[in-house]
């Protein structure tokens, strides 16, 4: 109405009266029960309490001019909250990554011991993933920062591009360059799939903590407060229930991303098959993601880390983690890769199956002894070999440190 007034359509004296308009939610609900149309109920509940100036309410507009533009404002406010959540999480991950930068632990692939890493490297990977999500969310935010005041099918037949520009300027939005009856839903799908991606990463992180908290591993645990109970039946239990909650709600958000993608294809200039679903998936995705972001940030901030247990698990494979280094040393001495692999694997399998120490087996292997001296072999069994480039990796992240 203010934009219409600026364009000389609504008299200034009527605009003054319109500024006193008020919404009656109870009356709106009563009208809705009869009309079954929320925008009609909305406008009538306002105009009933106005005089002749009420005729200007909703002039030339279609419902989506109001609903989509207003939704964009709500969504931008919600994105601002998620952005702050991600910033706090990134700081927590950075602090923990630096704290545990040189804390060695077993790296695992397929759930099986592979080669050593540090716990700080694991957390730094999570940090970098969150940084990428921050950028993705900024991109989605730009896509959602548009309004639409273009009339019934987007042709401006009953409004004008200038009116749209004036409204959007006042609301801090960009006019959608082109629309039909709605703002196109690829924008919303980009947003919800971005939220789902963030949730997927949180699930990834939380799943790792759940594995590390298993009794057989017990290298890290989520916070467990004094007086907290893990089981109604078993007093000894300390379950990763926070991480499990994160995983469960990530599935919910991921499901909403599928719905958002299916909302892109509508009949002709629009139908309302997207509308009912969006009333659930948009707020619920934001609510759920905000919730699990705060939960997971609390997990990281209060995470219990057990370096001694990490070391026990490192040693538990009896030197098998040095199999690749032994392989490479044999190759460098002139042995073919195939022969070196067979030689190392034969000793590794004995260590796996019969519980022997891998280094002892290699020292007793006469074929290995013909190629590597005991001194050369012993030098290979050095854990710091695997983490000697940690500083270089952290420097790439902008975390300059020689410690």
């Amino acid at each position: 109405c203010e934009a219409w007034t600026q364009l000389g359509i609504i008299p200034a004296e009527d605009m003054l009266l319109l500024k006193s308009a008020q919404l009656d939610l109870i009356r709106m609900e009563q009208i809705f029960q009869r009309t079954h149309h929320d925008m009609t109920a909305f406008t009538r509940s306002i105009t009933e309490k106005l005089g002749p100036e009420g005729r200007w309410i909703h002039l030339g507009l279609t419902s989506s001019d109001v609903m989509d533009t207003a939704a964009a404002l709500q969504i931008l406010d919600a994105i601002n909250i998620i952005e702050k959540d991600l910033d706090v999480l990134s700081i927590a991950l950075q602090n923990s990554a630096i704290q545990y930068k040189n804390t060695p632990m077993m790296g695992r692939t397929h759930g099986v011991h592979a080669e050593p890493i540090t716990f700080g490297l694991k957390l730094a990977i999570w940090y970098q993933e969150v940084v990428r999500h921050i950028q993705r969310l900024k991109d989605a935010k730009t896509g959602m920062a548009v309004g639409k005041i273009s009339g019934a099918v987007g042709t401006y037949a009953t409004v004008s591009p200038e009116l749209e520009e004036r409204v959007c300027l006042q609301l801090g939005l960009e006019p959608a360059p082109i629309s039909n009856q709605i703002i196109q839903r690829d924008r919303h799908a980009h947003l919800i799939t971005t939220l789902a991606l963030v949730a997927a990463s949180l699930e990834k992180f939380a799943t790792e903590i759940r594995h590390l908290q298993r009794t057989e591993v017990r290298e890290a645990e989520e916070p467990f407060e004094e007086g907290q109970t893990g089981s109604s039946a078993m007093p000894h239990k300390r379950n990763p229930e926070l991480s499990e909650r994160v995983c469960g709600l990530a599935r919910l958000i991921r499901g909403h991303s599928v719905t958002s993608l299916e909302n892109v294809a509508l009949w002709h200039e629009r139908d309302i098959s997207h509308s009912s679903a969006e009333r659930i998936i948009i707020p619920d995705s934001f609510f759920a993601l905000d919730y699990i972001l705060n939960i997971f940030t609390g997990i990281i901030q209060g995470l219990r880390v057990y370096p001694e247990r990490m070391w026990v698990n490192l040693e538990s494979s009896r030197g098998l983690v040095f199999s690749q280094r032994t392989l490479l040393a044999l190759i460098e001495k002139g042995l073919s890769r195939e022969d070196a692999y067979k030689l190392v694997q034969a000793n590794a399998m004995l260590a796996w199956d019969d519980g022997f120490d891998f280094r002892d087996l290699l020292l007793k292997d006469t074929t290995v002894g013909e190629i590597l001296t005991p001194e050369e072999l012993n030098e290979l069994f050095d854990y710091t070999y695997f983490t000697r480039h940690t500083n270089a990796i952290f420097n790439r992240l902008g975390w300059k440190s020689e410690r």
Side-chain angles (χ1 to χ4, degrees):
C1 288
E2 289 175 347
W4 277 127
T5 303
Q6 293 166 9
L7 294 174
I9 302 300
I10 297 179
E13 56 271 22
D14 282 1
M15 189 63 236
L16 287 175
L17 296 171
L18 287 169
K19 286 180 179 290
S20 66
Q22 294 189 8
L23 171 66
D24 186 333
L25 287 171
I26 295 175
R27 180 58 181 149
M28 177 180 168
E29 179 62 25
Q30 292 170 345
I31 300 170
F32 179 77
Q33 293 302 321
R34 184 171 70 255
T35 63
H36 302 288
H37 193 286
D38 49 8
M39 186 54 62
T40 300
F42 173 72
T43 56
R44 286 187 187 176
S45 68
I46 297 172
T47 57
E48 281 184 347
K49 296 189 176 183
L50 296 173
E53 72 278 6
R55 70 190 188 278
W56 303 118
I57 297 289
H58 206 60
L59 180 66
L61 304 185
T62 189
S63 297
S64 293
D65 288 328
V66 179
M67 301 294 282
D68 279 6
T69 305
L73 296 173
Q74 292 177 300
I75 287 169
L76 293 179
D77 284 345
I79 290 174
N80 289 339
I81 294 172
I82 300 299
E83 285 181 326
K84 291 176 183 176
D85 292 341
L86 286 170
D87 286 340
V88 174
L89 175 56
S90 69
I91 292 170
L93 286 169
Q94 179 179 350
N95 291 339
S96 294
I98 292 172
Q99 179 180 357
Y100 297 109
K101 169 183 166 184
N102 296 312
T103 302
M105 68 178 297
M106 180 56 70
R108 300 170 174 91
T109 58
H110 306 275
V112 179
H113 284 200
E115 290 185 347
I117 60 171
T118 75
F119 191 52
L121 285 171
K122 186 185 293 288
L123 294 172
I125 288 172
W126 296 359
Y127 163 84
Q128 187 64 26
E129 197 159 335
V130 169
V131 169
R132 291 195 296 273
H133 288 318
I134 291 172
Q135 183 57 53
R136 290 183 181 113
L137 192 58
K138 287 180 180 177
D139 294 341
K141 185 177 184 180
T142 299
M144 287 306 309
V146 297
K148 178 261 184 209
I149 308 290
S150 58
V153 289
T155 62
Y156 301 96
T158 54
V159 290
S160 70
E162 184 181 0
L163 180 83
E164 180 182 60
E165 290 166 5
R166 288 176 180 268
V167 172
C168 289
L169 178 64
Q170 188 163 332
L171 296 177
L173 301 172
E174 291 290 329
I178 184 171
S179 60
N180 45 32
Q181 194 170 89
I182 61 169
I183 292 174
Q184 301 306 289
R185 261 40 193 181
D186 63 291
R187 296 176 182 269
H188 300 70
H190 181 197
L191 168 68
I192 301 301
T193 54
T194 299
L195 300 184
L197 264 175
V198 177
S201 290
L202 293 179
E203 182 180 17
K204 164 187 168 179
F205 308 157
T207 298
E208 180 69 11
I209 290 174
R210 290 167 62 190
H211 280 304
L212 295 180
Q213 189 163 333
R214 286 183 299 129
T215 306
E216 298 82 1
V217 180
R218 201 164 178 264
E219 294 177 353
E221 283 184 329
E222 64 180 40
F224 193 87
E225 298 178 3
E226 184 177 352
Q228 183 176 342
T229 58
S231 166
S232 62
M234 297 169 283
H236 72 278
K237 295 280 280 180
R238 291 212 305 229
N239 302 326
E241 63 93 7
L242 293 174
S243 298
E244 291 168 343
R245 206 182 308 172
V246 169
C247 292
L249 287 175
R251 297 168 191 164
L252 175 76
I253 301 169
R254 188 158 55 246
H256 289 343
S257 73
V258 175
T259 305
S260 73
L261 291 169
E262 293 176 343
N263 281 346
V264 174
L266 303 175
W267 285 22
H268 304 298
E269 277 56 64
R270 82 127 359 168
D271 59 55
I272 62 167
S273 60
H274 67 291
S275 177
S276 55
E278 284 179 351
R279 294 169 196 237
I280 297 171
I281 68 170
I282 294 177
D284 278 12
S285 293
F286 276 111
F287 292 148
L289 184 58
D290 174 60
Y291 180 61
I292 62 177
L293 275 168
N294 279 278
I295 286 179
F296 191 75
T297 298
I299 291 173
I300 294 299
Q301 290 171 337
L303 192 66
R304 298 183 177 191
V305 179
Y306 302 111
E308 298 84 2
R309 182 64 185 175
M310 291 177 176
W311 186 256
V312 168
N313 288 336
L314 269 174
E315 292 277 83
S316 68
S317 62
R318 301 175 301 280
L320 283 172
V321 297
F322 296 97
S323 70
Q324 180 180 199
R325 196 172 185 204
T326 305
L327 169 70
L328 296 176
L330 291 172
I331 292 172
E332 290 168 4
K333 288 286 187 175
L335 206 61
S336 72
R337 181 175 183 84
E338 290 73 20
D339 289 342
Y341 195 98
K342 289 178 182 178
L343 184 58
V344 174
Q345 188 183 47
N347 286 283
M349 293 305 102
L350 277 176
W352 269 115
D353 296 334
D354 299 328
F356 293 116
D357 183 86
F358 181 57
R359 176 162 40 179
D360 289 345
L361 290 173
L362 292 173
L363 288 168
K364 294 174 182 177
D365 190 304
T366 56
T367 305
V368 173
E370 292 174 357
I371 303 171
L372 295 171
T373 67
E375 292 76 15
E376 289 174 326
L377 189 60
N378 283 322
E379 287 177 1
L380 298 178
F381 285 70
D382 177 8
Y383 284 109
T384 62
Y385 169 83
F386 298 102
T387 58
R388 66 192 190 280
H389 296 303
T390 301
N391 272 340
I393 297 171
F394 272 54
N395 288 344
R396 283 183 175 181
L397 300 176
W399 304 341
K400 303 291 184 182
S401 172
E402 297 301 325
R403 183 168 58 84

